């Protein structure tokens, strides 16, 4: 089994910054793509950012230039640095990872439990 544990959420004023972290642990041979989605109240979950093992990165258009995704492959950890936050960024942020476990030949997608980010004055 694999666990993803997020941290770093909280309350921040508009224009402020937060850094989210997500560490994968458990039965891991290799972690492929890692990323973040978010779900705002009353809205569907949406893709925010993704980083591959080789460093290829994709962003949701509305966060480009404000958010930066990065990863530490040695720690199986993905980060999301969020700057210039607006109330529209308020949501529960979920990390996810595609993991290959030892003794298997397939990739399985795992999700964290979510961390609340609230942007408000």
């Amino acid at each position: 089994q694999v666990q993803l544990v997020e941290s770093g959420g909280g309350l921040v004023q508009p224009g402020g910054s937060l850094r989210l972290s997500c560490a994968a642990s458990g039965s891991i041979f290799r972690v492929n793509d890692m990323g973040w989605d978010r779900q705002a109240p009353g809205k569907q979950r949406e893709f925010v950012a993704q980083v591959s093992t080789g460093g290829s990165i994709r962003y949701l258009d509305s966060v480009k230039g404000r958010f930066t995704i990065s990863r530490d492959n040695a720690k199986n950890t993905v980060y999301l640095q969020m700057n210039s936050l607006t109330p529209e960024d308020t949501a529960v942020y979920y990390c996810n990872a595609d993991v290959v476990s030892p003794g298997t030949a397939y990739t399985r997608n795992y999700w964290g439990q979510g961390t609340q980010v609230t942007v408000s004055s």
Side-chain angles (χ1 to χ4, degrees):
Q1 190 65 298
V2 174
Q3 298 81 38
L4 299 183
V5 178
E6 298 128 332
S7 61
L11 172 65
V12 64
Q13 292 187 343
S17 299
L18 282 175
R19 188 191 193 212
L20 306 183
S21 300
C22 174
S25 63
S27 182
I28 297 173
F29 172 69
R30 185 177 68 249
V31 180
N32 293 332
D33 293 348
M34 303 185 81
W36 296 89
D37 284 20
R38 68 186 181 186
Q39 187 165 20
K43 295 185 178 181
Q44 289 188 331
R45 188 176 295 195
E46 65 178 354
F47 165 85
V48 175
Q50 183 185 61
V51 56
S52 71
T53 307
S56 297
I57 290 174
R58 297 189 299 128
Y59 291 107
L60 175 69
D61 282 347
S62 63
V63 309
K64 286 180 180 178
R66 300 188 299 119
F67 291 10
T68 302
I69 190 171
S70 61
R71 65 187 288 171
D72 184 332
N73 291 331
K75 296 181 179 179
N76 291 327
T77 298
V78 63
Y79 306 95
L80 187 67
Q81 176 67 42
M82 305 184 294
N83 299 328
S84 302
L85 286 161
T86 73
E88 288 69 39
D89 295 314
T90 295
V92 177
Y93 284 71
Y94 299 91
C95 73
N96 65 89
D98 292 335
V99 178
V100 179
S101 293
T104 70
Y106 59 87
T107 299
R108 181 176 173 180
N109 186 246
Y110 292 90
W111 290 85
Q113 80 285 357
T115 185
Q116 177 70 47
V117 171
T118 302
V119 185
S120 175
S121 55

